[in-house]
Amino acid sequence: MAEYVYDLDSVSKLLNRIIQYNSSEKASNWLQQRRDVQQTTNAISQFNQTFTAIPRFVGKETINVQPEDLDQLSILVPEFFVQGWTLDRLVRVWWLLQLPASNKNDYVAAIENLFNAAEMNELAALYSALPLLAWPEEWIARTSEGIRSNIGIVQEAIMLNNPFPANYLSEPAWNQLVMKAIFTDKPLHRIVGLDRRANAALANILTDFAHERWAAGRTLDPMQWRVLINFITEDNLADIARIASSVVPAEREAAAIVCTQTKFEPAKKLIPADLADAVRNGEINWNSIAEKTIK
């Protein structure tokens, strides 16, 4: 197993360029000084102190990222996002890349100690860094544990715009992540790999959940039906028929997309006639539905 699954040097330099673009001269000088000391001493205590102190010295402003940097980052680490991050989170993630990883046991112990001692913003940075950490298989259990967190910022760091869960979690853990996202009203369109990791077990869980919500007179996130595209059967066809005739426009549109894209022929007959053309020409898509349903 390789230490890193991407070009570490290129990613580190790119993140550093984004940091410099968003930092004051004072913050940049401090960070360079801390990096120089770390490279000289390689002391874990100094590394941890810097990780903790970063917000005090660089601030917490939301970063601006140049389009060309976003494009390059998407090539270097597919589906890895930093848009909307604060500068302290970005710097913490970059700082983690400065920790030597050649000794697997020492590296894993150092990162685990950071997790164990972290407050919520530090945890959010650590979970945001999952796609960039060395020895990625080592963080599967930690990610599964994090899904159970009740801290909103931590949940979002794991669930949203993070490719690590889709790439490494087992099917049960992945399904737990999706359901936790639904229970906590997270925007499902920002879960990386939602289509790719859709599975029959999750489809069954979601239809059971829908029945419970309907029985209680409650509504559903129309985005959840996206998971059923490849898993429509005679058993859940009535559920798709129900949302296809819903009085809620976003539900009807979700049904139209599902029924258009599925290979289950009986479902294709359920496409609402007034929406068929709009789905085919792309006027109705999951992003347009998400815009209508974001809380």
Side-chain angles (χ1 to χ4, degrees):
M1 179 177 64
E3 297 168 30
Y4 292 94
V5 295
Y6 61 92
D7 184 337
L8 173 63
D9 185 60
S10 295
V11 171
S12 181
K13 288 179 179 178
L14 176 57
L15 295 186
N16 188 51
R17 182 163 73 242
I18 298 171
I19 289 168
Q20 298 306 313
Y21 180 81
N22 286 275
S23 296
S24 66
E25 182 179 356
K26 182 178 180 180
S28 295
N29 291 340
W30 176 82
L31 199 56
Q32 184 59 52
Q33 182 268 334
R34 299 306 291 175
R35 186 182 189 185
D36 292 343
V37 171
Q38 183 63 36
Q39 291 178 338
T40 301
T41 65
N42 199 26
I44 193 64
S45 59
Q46 194 274 150
F47 183 88
N48 293 346
Q49 289 168 3
T50 299
F51 182 82
T52 300
I54 281 169
R56 289 191 284 118
F57 289 91
V58 306
K60 300 180 179 181
E61 294 297 318
T62 301
I63 62 172
N64 293 310
V65 188
Q66 300 301 303
E68 59 270 22
D69 289 337
L70 288 176
D71 292 341
Q72 185 178 352
L73 187 59
S74 69
I75 293 171
L76 292 169
V77 188
E79 299 180 303
F80 178 64
F81 296 85
V82 299
Q83 300 97 308
W85 284 13
T86 55
L87 182 57
D88 60 311
R89 182 184 296 199
L90 180 63
V91 174
R92 277 176 164 154
V93 170
W94 171 83
W95 184 246
L96 292 171
L97 304 188
Q98 314 314 307
L99 181 65
S102 56
N103 186 311
K104 179 179 178 180
N105 291 336
D106 289 349
Y107 178 86
V108 170
I111 299 295
E112 286 289 0
N113 286 337
L114 285 176
F115 270 108
N116 292 334
E119 50 84 37
M120 67 177 186
N121 289 301
E122 294 170 350
L123 276 177
L126 286 163
Y127 281 115
S128 295
L130 286 172
L132 303 186
L133 294 181
W135 311 108
E137 286 83 357
E138 294 297 320
W139 314 113
I140 295 173
R142 175 63 73 172
T143 304
S144 297
E145 176 185 324
I147 293 169
R148 297 189 288 272
S149 171
N150 291 319
I151 303 173
I153 190 174
V154 173
Q155 294 173 347
E156 292 177 3
I158 299 170
M159 298 174 182
L160 307 182
N161 297 333
N162 189 335
F164 185 90
N167 289 338
Y168 291 97
L169 289 185
S170 66
E171 183 175 290
W174 171 258
N175 292 349
Q176 183 183 33
L177 180 150
V178 174
M179 295 309 300
K180 184 68 174 284
I182 290 173
F183 294 152
T184 55
D185 293 324
K186 300 295 185 294
L188 300 186
H189 66 290
R190 290 175 56 194
I191 297 179
V192 176
L194 185 63
D195 296 330
R196 170 163 54 92
R197 290 298 307 269
N199 58 83
L202 180 58
N204 291 336
I205 293 169
L206 286 171
T207 52
D208 288 344
F209 175 68
H211 296 164
E212 293 174 4
R213 298 279 290 190
W214 288 333
R218 303 180 70 181
T219 59
L220 293 160
D221 183 345
M223 291 291 293
Q224 81 169 56
W225 299 107
R226 183 174 185 167
V227 174
L228 268 69
I229 289 174
N230 293 318
F231 302 98
I232 301 179
T233 66
E234 290 292 347
D235 291 335
N236 57 33
L237 186 62
D239 300 318
I240 300 300
R242 173 169 178 159
I243 63 168
S245 60
S246 172
V247 297
V248 179
E251 288 189 343
R252 293 184 71 245
E253 291 174 5
I257 296 175
V258 171
C259 293
T260 298
Q261 296 180 357
T262 186
K263 295 180 181 179
F264 189 64
E265 288 300 325
K268 292 184 177 296
K269 300 176 182 178
L270 299 175
I271 301 172
D274 59 319
L275 301 179
D277 288 341
V279 171
R280 278 193 291 267
N281 63 28
E283 292 177 19
I284 293 175
N285 53 57
W286 292 117
N287 288 333
S288 68
I289 293 176
E291 291 175 0
K292 296 179 179 180
T293 57
I294 289 175
K295 297 179 173 61

